[in-house]
């Protein structure tokens, strides 16, 4: 019988024995792995837990940002007086974020320049409001994107960390064959199985992180464009207020 047939036969017998015993015991594979592989697995589990924590947290953040933007735009474009919206935004009993924070920053600077004792021309008033809105917009977008880089790092590095664990596990398995006069598939297969668990865990940690990073990056970009559009439209409204004769 050729060596290839012997290997296939031994592998089939091993699979059959595992099946009869109820399949692979993943917990035993993890517990019996070498120390370097277990350290790698622990790191991957921690990275996976952290990424899922960020994923669920960001889901709430983006949902709240979208609802807040919808609510404020409905109030803003319903014809409500700007001074009334500003009084509501500066109410000390609640915090503001998103579009309302951008509006509050721009209108506060506009009023400050307009009410100065020294006369300030209309262009300076609008430009001051625009600068204030840009600064607030940048902070709001930065808050939305906070921790997204961690998802990117987990998604890009976890497979390689898992591969490192697999390499260590295979090295330990083959090193153990040095004292074994009869090297067979049955003697090396358990060690290789333990090592491959690290690669599987690396992929398990990376795939959700990559998916979430791409999804949340797209949502952040859409909300950012929405904020910028509102800032431009509000600037046009302020320009019309400083130039009543302008159509």
């Amino acid at each position: 019988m050729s060596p290839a047939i012997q290997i296939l036969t031994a592998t089939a017998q091993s699979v059959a024995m595992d099946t009869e015993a109820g399949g692979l015991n993943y917990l035993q594979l993890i517990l019996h792995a070498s120390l370097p592989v277990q350290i790698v697995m622990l790191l991957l589990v921690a990275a996976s837990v952290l990424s899922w924590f960020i994923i669920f947290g960001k889901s709430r953040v983006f949902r709240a940002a979208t609802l807040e933007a919808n609510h404020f735009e409905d109030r803003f474009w319903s014809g409500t007086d700007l001074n009334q919206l500003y009084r509501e935004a500066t109410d000390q009993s609640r915090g503001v974020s998103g579009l309302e924070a951008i509006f509050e920053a721009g209108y506060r600077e506009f009023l400050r320049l307009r009410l100065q004792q020294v006369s300030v021309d209309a262009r300076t008033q609008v430009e001051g409001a625009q600068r204030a809105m840009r600064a607030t917009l940048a902070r709001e977008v930065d808050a939305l994107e906070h921790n997204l880089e961690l998802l990117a790092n987990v998604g890009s590095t976890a497979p390689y960390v898992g591969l490192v664990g697999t390499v260590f596990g295979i090295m330990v398995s083959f090193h153990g064959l040095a004292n074994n006069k009869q090297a067979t598939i049955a003697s090396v297969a358990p060690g290789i199985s333990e090592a491959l668990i690290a690669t599987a865990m690396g992929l398990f940690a990376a795939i959700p992180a990559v998916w979430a990073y791409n999804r949340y990056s797209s949502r952040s970009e859409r909300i950012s464009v929405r904020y910028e559009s509102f800032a431009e439209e509000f600037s046009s409204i302020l320009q019309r207020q400083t130039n009543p004769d302008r159509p």
Side-chain angles (χ1 to χ4, degrees):
M1 183 179 296
S2 66
I5 295 178
Q6 290 179 352
I7 293 174
L8 291 175
T9 303
T11 304
Q13 290 176 352
S14 177
V15 172
M17 291 174 63
D18 289 337
T19 304
E20 292 175 359
L24 291 174
N25 189 330
Y26 297 102
L27 182 60
Q28 289 297 322
L29 291 177
I30 295 173
L31 294 178
H32 292 167
S34 60
L35 181 60
V37 179
Q38 289 181 339
I39 293 175
V40 168
M41 291 178 181
L42 182 62
L43 292 175
L44 291 173
V45 169
S48 180
V49 171
L50 177 62
S51 64
W52 279 108
F53 179 79
I54 295 173
I55 288 170
F56 287 120
K58 283 300 175 184
S59 177
R60 293 191 296 269
V61 168
F62 280 101
R63 187 183 303 112
T66 302
L67 291 176
E68 184 277 332
N70 293 337
H71 179 63
F72 182 75
E73 280 189 333
D74 290 340
R75 291 162 53 207
F76 184 83
W77 297 113
S78 64
T80 304
D81 181 64
L82 295 181
N83 292 315
Q84 176 62 29
L85 287 176
Y86 179 70
R87 285 192 294 270
E88 295 176 0
T90 54
D91 186 358
Q92 298 297 323
S93 62
R94 67 186 185 91
V96 295
S97 60
L99 286 183
E100 191 171 14
I102 295 171
F103 163 79
E104 188 268 337
Y107 201 59
R108 181 181 65 248
E109 183 66 12
F110 177 78
L111 292 178
R112 187 186 71 81
L113 294 174
R114 196 171 193 180
L115 297 176
Q116 280 185 351
Q117 294 181 354
V118 180
S119 178
V120 178
D121 58 31
R123 180 178 179 180
T124 302
Q125 295 174 23
V126 175
E127 288 179 349
Q130 290 175 338
R131 287 194 298 269
M133 286 190 291
R134 283 195 297 268
T136 304
L137 189 152
R139 287 194 296 269
E140 292 297 320
V141 173
D142 182 69
L144 289 176
E145 296 178 348
H146 181 61
N147 285 333
L148 287 187
E149 70 277 5
L150 291 179
L151 292 179
N153 291 333
V154 171
S156 61
T157 61
Y160 297 103
V161 174
L163 186 59
V164 169
T166 298
V167 171
F168 270 109
I170 293 176
M171 287 170 57
V172 172
S173 298
F174 280 103
H175 182 73
L177 294 178
N179 299 324
N180 193 344
K181 296 181 180 180
Q182 293 182 348
T184 63
I185 290 294
S187 61
V188 74
I192 295 178
S193 298
E194 296 166 4
L196 291 176
I197 288 291
T199 298
M201 293 178 68
L203 294 175
F204 179 79
I207 292 173
V210 172
W211 172 83
Y213 175 77
N214 292 333
R215 175 175 173 79
Y216 291 145
S217 294
S218 298
R219 293 184 66 177
S220 176
E221 185 176 354
R222 289 197 298 269
I223 293 177
S224 176
V225 171
R226 190 173 182 179
Y227 288 173
E228 292 173 358
S229 298
F230 172 80
E232 291 295 328
E233 292 169 344
F234 186 46
S235 296
S236 299
I237 293 174
L238 295 180
Q239 287 176 352
R240 287 195 295 270
Q241 283 196 355
T242 56
N243 299 278
D245 297 333
R246 182 179 176 180

